[in-house]
């Protein structure tokens, strides 16, 4: 198998194997239309945080004061072409000043308490105002999972807050409004720079930039466009300058003179930014920051390795091709690609911020939450996976329109939150217990 180096701030041997591939939009120009989740119990949809649990130990990133090297193995994964590239895969050494900047910019995300009302961001859409649960979907960064989590929070919290905590089974007439569309945070109809901070939650998910490039290529090019994947084609795709600032361009709310200023302000502007390689920790932390039951944030995973996309391309359901790499690809992605890469700097800062937040909340508390997250995900998967109707694949012999109709009824949106009604029932007791605990002892981070 091709070798990938240790990721900074996390402990993974194969980062590409644990990604939850999200739905695609046209790669070079994100869909400008708003996909707004005006959730109702009958037509909204939500999707699962992956049952895979990531490392629970908080690790402040060892940011690059020394070069990390690892010899590549000779065989190539999944039938990839042989390569005579260098057998050493490295991550670049960052100047010490970058390490100091990351430590300076990173912060412990605080418990949301900007209003006298704990859940003032859970509200129906307000005409002409930017409020509610605002999720910025970044391509190939577990964004379907994030969309699903946002929609499930909106669904369940609508019932608890807007209809009263004792009325947990009635359909929500005035749901928490949520946005979960692909696109830049500061453009189109989003304009999150003008959000009402006391009435909104702004969050997103980032992934290590190197494996994201590989995931993007195999999703958009190899799978959806059925292009022949070669080492040369992958390297050409990865060398597009746009991939150096993809995250920064997506998330920034204002323009600054330098990328460093943009990154510093991004961390302050967002209420939380998750790390896809540490999804278990991230979801637990978000639950504690928003005081939302963890059981109300569990969703079924929509993307499986070797599975299908969401069926929203012109070709309908597309079989996803498995990813592979070569030593030459790894050498570039973990070498020159990361050198002076603003997205990588932002990712490192987000990773350090997650570590600081876990430390502030209590590492043991978060670790226990991750184990609970794992148990709840497994319980949901066992109870609901076989009964849920995903858009793809369409069972042999079934009418396409009939399957699509049933899928729309079973999912919040597209392939997100499929089986959410089953999840409600499977985890209802767990969710109600957590809700009572939050109301009796909400707790806050130290300032």
């Amino acid at each position: 198998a091709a070798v990938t180096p240790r990721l900074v701030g996390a402990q993974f041997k194969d980062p590409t194997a644990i990604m939850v591939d999200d739905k695609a939009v046209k790669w070079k120009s994100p869909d400008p239309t708003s996909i707004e989740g005006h959730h109702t119990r009958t037509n909204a949809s939500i999707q699962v945080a992956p049952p895979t649990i990531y490392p629970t130990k908080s690790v402040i990133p060892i940011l690059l004061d020394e070069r990390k090297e690892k010899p590549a193995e000779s065989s190539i994964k999944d039938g990839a072409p042989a390569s005579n590239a260098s057998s050493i895969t490295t991550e670049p050494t960052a100047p010490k000043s970058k390490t100091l900047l990351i430590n300076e910019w990173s912060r412990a995300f605080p418990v949301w308490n900007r209003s006298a009302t704990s859940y003032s961001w859970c509200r129906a859409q307000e005409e002409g105002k930017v409020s509610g649960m605002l999720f910025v979907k970044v391509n190939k960064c577990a964004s379907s999972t994030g969309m699903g989590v946002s929609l499930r929070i909106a669904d369940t919290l609508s019932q608890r807050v807007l209809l009263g905590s004792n009325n947990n089974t009635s359909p929500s007439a005035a749901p928490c409004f949520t946005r979960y569309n692909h696109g830049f945070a500061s453009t189109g109809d989003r304009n999150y720079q003008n959000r009402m901070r006391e009435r909104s939650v702004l969050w997103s998910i980032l992934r290590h930039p190197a494996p994201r490039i590989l995931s993007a290529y195999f999703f958009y090019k190899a799978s959806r466009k059925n292009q022949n994947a070669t080492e040369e084609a992958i390297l050409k795709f990865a060398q597009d300058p746009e991939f150096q600032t993809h995250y920064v361009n997506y998330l920034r709310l204002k323009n600054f003179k330098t990328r460093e200023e943009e990154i510093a302000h991004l961390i302050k502007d967002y209420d939380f930014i998750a790390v896809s390689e540490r999804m278990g920790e991230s979801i637990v932390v978000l639950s504690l920051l928003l005081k939302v039951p963890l059981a109300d944030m569990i969703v079924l995973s929509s993307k499986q390795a070797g599975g299908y996309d969401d069926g929203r391309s012109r070709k309908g359901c597309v079989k996803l091709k498995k990813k592979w790499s070569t030593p030459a690809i790894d050498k570039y992605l973990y070498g020159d690609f990361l050198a002076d890469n603003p997205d990588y700097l932002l990712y490192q800062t987000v990773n350090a911020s997650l570590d600081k937040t876990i430390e502030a909340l209590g590492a043991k508390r978060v670790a226990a939450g991750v184990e609970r997250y794992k148990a709840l995900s497994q319980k949901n998967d066992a109870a609901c996976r076989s009964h849920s109707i995903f858009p793809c694949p369409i069972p042999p012999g079934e009418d396409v329109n009939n399957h699509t109709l049933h899928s729309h009824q079973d999912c919040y949106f597209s392939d997100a939150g499929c089986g959410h009604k089953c999840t409600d029932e499977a985890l209802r007791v767990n969710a109600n217990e957590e809700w009572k605990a939050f109301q009796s002892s909400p707790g806050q981070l130290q300032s």
Side-chain angles (χ1 to χ4, degrees), residues 123-159:
R123 56 199 313 112
Q125 183 177 15
E126 301 175 282
E127 186 68 28
K129 297 180 180 179
V130 183
S131 60
M133 172 71 78
L134 312 176
F135 175 66
V136 180
K137 292 182 66 179
V138 181
N139 297 312
K140 312 315 300 172
C141 288
S143 62
S144 284
T145 294
M147 177 176 71
V149 170
S150 285
L151 284 166
R152 184 151 168 74
I153 290 173
D155 183 356
T156 57
L157 201 60
S158 292
Q159 300 168 67

Short mmCIF file of all heavy atoms in Angstrom, two decimals, residues 123-159:
data_model
loop_
_atom_site.label_atom_id
_atom_site.label_comp_id
_atom_site.label_asym_id
_atom_site.label_seq_id
_atom_site.Cartn_x
_atom_site.Cartn_y
_atom_site.Cartn_z
N ARG A 123 -34.48 29.35 15.95
CA ARG A 123 -35.62 30.20 15.67
C ARG A 123 -36.03 30.02 14.21
O ARG A 123 -35.25 29.55 13.39
CB ARG A 123 -35.29 31.66 15.95
CG ARG A 123 -34.09 32.18 15.21
CD ARG A 123 -33.50 33.45 15.80
NE ARG A 123 -34.48 34.45 16.11
CZ ARG A 123 -34.79 34.82 17.36
NH1 ARG A 123 -34.17 34.25 18.37
NH2 ARG A 123 -35.69 35.73 17.59
N ALA A 124 -37.25 30.38 13.91
CA ALA A 124 -37.72 30.32 12.53
C ALA A 124 -36.99 31.38 11.71
O ALA A 124 -36.40 32.32 12.25
CB ALA A 124 -39.22 30.54 12.48
N GLN A 125 -37.01 31.22 10.40
CA GLN A 125 -36.31 32.15 9.52
C GLN A 125 -36.87 33.56 9.70
O GLN A 125 -38.08 33.77 9.80
CB GLN A 125 -36.47 31.73 8.06
CG GLN A 125 -35.70 32.62 7.09
CD GLN A 125 -35.82 32.15 5.66
OE1 GLN A 125 -36.67 31.33 5.34
NE2 GLN A 125 -34.96 32.65 4.80
N GLU A 126 -35.94 34.51 9.77
CA GLU A 126 -36.32 35.90 9.91
C GLU A 126 -36.06 36.65 8.62
O GLU A 126 -34.94 36.66 8.11
CB GLU A 126 -35.53 36.55 11.06
CG GLU A 126 -35.75 35.86 12.40
CD GLU A 126 -34.88 36.44 13.51
OE1 GLU A 126 -33.69 36.09 13.54
OE2 GLU A 126 -35.39 37.24 14.31
N GLU A 127 -37.06 37.25 8.09
CA GLU A 127 -36.95 37.94 6.81
C GLU A 127 -35.88 39.03 6.86
O GLU A 127 -35.89 39.90 7.72
CB GLU A 127 -38.30 38.58 6.44
CG GLU A 127 -38.33 39.21 5.06
CD GLU A 127 -38.25 38.17 3.95
OE1 GLU A 127 -38.69 37.02 4.19
OE2 GLU A 127 -37.75 38.51 2.86
N GLY A 128 -34.93 38.95 5.92
CA GLY A 128 -33.90 39.97 5.81
C GLY A 128 -32.81 39.89 6.85
O GLY A 128 -31.95 40.77 6.91
N LYS A 129 -32.81 38.83 7.67
CA LYS A 129 -31.81 38.70 8.72
C LYS A 129 -31.05 37.39 8.56
O LYS A 129 -31.60 36.38 8.12
CB LYS A 129 -32.46 38.76 10.11
CG LYS A 129 -33.14 40.10 10.39
CD LYS A 129 -33.77 40.12 11.77
CE LYS A 129 -34.45 41.46 12.04
NZ LYS A 129 -35.10 41.49 13.38
N VAL A 130 -29.78 37.41 8.91
CA VAL A 130 -28.93 36.22 8.83
C VAL A 130 -28.81 35.64 10.23
O VAL A 130 -28.07 36.15 11.08
CB VAL A 130 -27.53 36.55 8.26
CG1 VAL A 130 -26.70 35.28 8.12
CG2 VAL A 130 -27.67 37.25 6.90
N SER A 131 -29.57 34.59 10.48
CA SER A 131 -29.59 33.98 11.81
C SER A 131 -29.84 32.49 11.67
O SER A 131 -30.06 31.97 10.58
CB SER A 131 -30.68 34.64 12.68
OG SER A 131 -31.96 34.47 12.08
N GLY A 132 -29.82 31.78 12.78
CA GLY A 132 -30.06 30.34 12.77
C GLY A 132 -28.78 29.54 12.82
O GLY A 132 -27.70 30.03 13.15
N MET A 133 -28.88 28.26 12.48
CA MET A 133 -27.73 27.36 12.42
C MET A 133 -27.12 27.47 11.03
O MET A 133 -27.72 27.08 10.03
CB MET A 133 -28.19 25.93 12.69
CG MET A 133 -27.14 24.86 12.48
SD MET A 133 -25.84 24.84 13.72
CE MET A 133 -26.67 24.03 15.08
N LEU A 134 -25.90 28.01 10.95
CA LEU A 134 -25.24 28.29 9.69
C LEU A 134 -24.04 27.38 9.52
O LEU A 134 -23.06 27.50 10.24
CB LEU A 134 -24.79 29.76 9.64
CG LEU A 134 -25.85 30.81 10.04
CD1 LEU A 134 -25.24 32.20 10.04
CD2 LEU A 134 -27.05 30.74 9.10
N PHE A 135 -24.13 26.45 8.57
CA PHE A 135 -23.04 25.51 8.33
C PHE A 135 -22.43 25.77 6.96
O PHE A 135 -23.13 25.77 5.95
CB PHE A 135 -23.55 24.06 8.40
CG PHE A 135 -22.51 23.04 8.06
CD1 PHE A 135 -21.40 22.86 8.87
CD2 PHE A 135 -22.63 22.26 6.91
CE1 PHE A 135 -20.42 21.92 8.56
CE2 PHE A 135 -21.67 21.32 6.59
CZ PHE A 135 -20.56 21.15 7.41
N VAL A 136 -21.12 26.01 6.92
CA VAL A 136 -20.41 26.25 5.67
C VAL A 136 -19.87 24.91 5.16
O VAL A 136 -18.99 24.31 5.78
CB VAL A 136 -19.25 27.25 5.87
CG1 VAL A 136 -18.53 27.49 4.53
CG2 VAL A 136 -19.78 28.57 6.41
N LYS A 137 -20.40 24.45 4.04
CA LYS A 137 -20.02 23.16 3.47
C LYS A 137 -18.80 23.34 2.56
O LYS A 137 -18.89 23.94 1.51
CB LYS A 137 -21.17 22.56 2.67
CG LYS A 137 -22.35 22.14 3.49
CD LYS A 137 -23.42 21.50 2.60
CE LYS A 137 -22.91 20.19 2.02
NZ LYS A 137 -23.95 19.55 1.17
N VAL A 138 -17.70 22.79 2.97
CA VAL A 138 -16.48 22.80 2.16
C VAL A 138 -16.36 21.45 1.47
O VAL A 138 -16.44 20.40 2.12
CB VAL A 138 -15.23 23.07 3.03
CG1 VAL A 138 -13.98 23.11 2.16
CG2 VAL A 138 -15.40 24.38 3.79
N ASN A 139 -16.16 21.47 0.16
CA ASN A 139 -16.12 20.24 -0.62
C ASN A 139 -15.13 19.22 -0.08
O ASN A 139 -13.99 19.55 0.23
CB ASN A 139 -15.76 20.56 -2.07
CG ASN A 139 -16.80 21.43 -2.73
OD1 ASN A 139 -17.98 21.17 -2.66
ND2 ASN A 139 -16.34 22.50 -3.37
N LYS A 140 -15.57 17.98 0.02
CA LYS A 140 -14.73 16.85 0.40
C LYS A 140 -14.13 16.99 1.80
O LYS A 140 -13.00 16.60 2.05
CB LYS A 140 -13.61 16.61 -0.63
CG LYS A 140 -14.07 16.58 -2.07
CD LYS A 140 -15.32 15.77 -2.28
CE LYS A 140 -15.19 14.31 -1.88
NZ LYS A 140 -16.52 13.60 -1.93
N CYS A 141 -14.91 17.56 2.70
CA CYS A 141 -14.48 17.71 4.10
C CYS A 141 -15.58 17.20 5.04
O CYS A 141 -15.93 17.88 6.01
CB CYS A 141 -14.16 19.17 4.42
SG CYS A 141 -12.65 19.79 3.67
N ALA A 142 -16.12 16.02 4.75
CA ALA A 142 -17.19 15.46 5.58
C ALA A 142 -18.38 16.40 5.67
O ALA A 142 -19.09 16.44 6.68
CB ALA A 142 -16.67 15.12 6.98
N SER A 143 -18.62 17.15 4.60
CA SER A 143 -19.67 18.16 4.66
C SER A 143 -21.07 17.57 4.68
O SER A 143 -22.01 18.19 5.21
CB SER A 143 -19.52 19.15 3.50
OG SER A 143 -19.65 18.51 2.26
N SER A 144 -21.27 16.37 4.11
CA SER A 144 -22.58 15.73 4.21
C SER A 144 -22.88 15.37 5.66
O SER A 144 -24.02 15.49 6.12
CB SER A 144 -22.63 14.47 3.34
OG SER A 144 -22.75 14.82 1.98
N THR A 145 -21.87 14.92 6.37
CA THR A 145 -22.03 14.64 7.79
C THR A 145 -22.38 15.92 8.54
O THR A 145 -23.29 15.94 9.37
CB THR A 145 -20.75 14.03 8.37
OG1 THR A 145 -20.54 12.75 7.79
CG2 THR A 145 -20.84 13.88 9.88
N GLY A 146 -21.66 17.00 8.25
CA GLY A 146 -21.94 18.27 8.91
C GLY A 146 -23.33 18.77 8.61
O GLY A 146 -24.03 19.28 9.51
N MET A 147 -23.75 18.66 7.36
CA MET A 147 -25.10 19.06 6.99
C MET A 147 -26.12 18.23 7.76
O MET A 147 -27.11 18.75 8.29
CB MET A 147 -25.32 18.88 5.49
CG MET A 147 -26.72 19.21 5.02
SD MET A 147 -26.93 19.09 3.23
CE MET A 147 -26.85 17.31 3.00
N GLY A 148 -25.87 16.93 7.85
CA GLY A 148 -26.77 16.06 8.58
C GLY A 148 -26.87 16.41 10.05
O GLY A 148 -27.96 16.45 10.63
N VAL A 149 -25.73 16.69 10.66
CA VAL A 149 -25.71 17.07 12.07
C VAL A 149 -26.48 18.36 12.28
O VAL A 149 -27.29 18.48 13.22
CB VAL A 149 -24.26 17.20 12.58
CG1 VAL A 149 -24.23 17.83 13.97
CG2 VAL A 149 -23.58 15.83 12.61
N SER A 150 -26.28 19.35 11.42
CA SER A 150 -26.99 20.62 11.55
C SER A 150 -28.50 20.42 11.44
O SER A 150 -29.28 20.98 12.22
CB SER A 150 -26.53 21.59 10.45
OG SER A 150 -25.26 22.13 10.74
N LEU A 151 -28.92 19.61 10.49
CA LEU A 151 -30.35 19.38 10.29
C LEU A 151 -30.97 18.59 11.44
O LEU A 151 -32.11 18.85 11.84
CB LEU A 151 -30.57 18.66 8.96
CG LEU A 151 -30.42 19.55 7.72
CD1 LEU A 151 -30.30 18.71 6.46
CD2 LEU A 151 -31.60 20.50 7.60
N ARG A 152 -30.22 17.65 11.95
CA ARG A 152 -30.76 16.88 13.07
C ARG A 152 -30.87 17.74 14.33
O ARG A 152 -31.83 17.62 15.09
CB ARG A 152 -29.90 15.65 13.32
CG ARG A 152 -30.47 14.76 14.39
CD ARG A 152 -30.11 13.30 14.22
NE ARG A 152 -30.46 12.56 15.44
CZ ARG A 152 -31.70 12.25 15.79
NH1 ARG A 152 -32.71 12.60 15.01
NH2 ARG A 152 -31.93 11.60 16.92
N ILE A 153 -29.88 18.61 14.55
CA ILE A 153 -29.98 19.54 15.67
C ILE A 153 -31.22 20.41 15.51
O ILE A 153 -31.99 20.61 16.45
CB ILE A 153 -28.71 20.41 15.76
CG1 ILE A 153 -27.52 19.57 16.21
CG2 ILE A 153 -28.93 21.58 16.74
CD1 ILE A 153 -26.20 20.32 16.17
N ALA A 154 -31.40 20.96 14.29
CA ALA A 154 -32.55 21.82 14.03
C ALA A 154 -33.86 21.08 14.25
O ALA A 154 -34.82 21.62 14.80
CB ALA A 154 -32.47 22.35 12.60
N ASP A 155 -33.89 19.83 13.83
CA ASP A 155 -35.09 19.01 13.96
C ASP A 155 -35.43 18.77 15.43
O ASP A 155 -36.52 19.10 15.91
CB ASP A 155 -34.84 17.68 13.25
CG ASP A 155 -36.04 16.76 13.25
OD1 ASP A 155 -37.07 17.10 13.86
OD2 ASP A 155 -35.96 15.68 12.63
N THR A 156 -34.49 18.22 16.16
CA THR A 156 -34.78 17.82 17.54
C THR A 156 -34.90 19.02 18.48
O THR A 156 -35.75 19.04 19.37
CB THR A 156 -33.69 16.87 18.05
OG1 THR A 156 -32.40 17.50 17.94
CG2 THR A 156 -33.67 15.58 17.24
N LEU A 157 -34.05 20.03 18.28
CA LEU A 157 -34.09 21.18 19.18
C LEU A 157 -35.35 22.01 18.95
O LEU A 157 -35.86 22.65 19.88
CB LEU A 157 -32.84 22.04 18.99
CG LEU A 157 -32.49 22.98 20.16
CD1 LEU A 157 -32.25 22.17 21.43
CD2 LEU A 157 -31.27 23.81 19.82
N SER A 158 -35.86 22.00 17.72
CA SER A 158 -37.12 22.69 17.45
C SER A 158 -38.22 22.15 18.35
O SER A 158 -39.03 22.90 18.90
CB SER A 158 -37.52 22.50 15.98
OG SER A 158 -36.64 23.17 15.12
N GLN A 159 -38.25 20.85 18.49
CA GLN A 159 -39.29 20.24 19.31
C GLN A 159 -39.09 20.56 20.79
O GLN A 159 -40.05 20.84 21.51
CB GLN A 159 -39.25 18.72 19.12
CG GLN A 159 -39.49 18.30 17.67
CD GLN A 159 -39.16 16.84 17.48
OE1 GLN A 159 -39.84 15.98 18.02
NE2 GLN A 159 -38.12 16.56 16.71
#
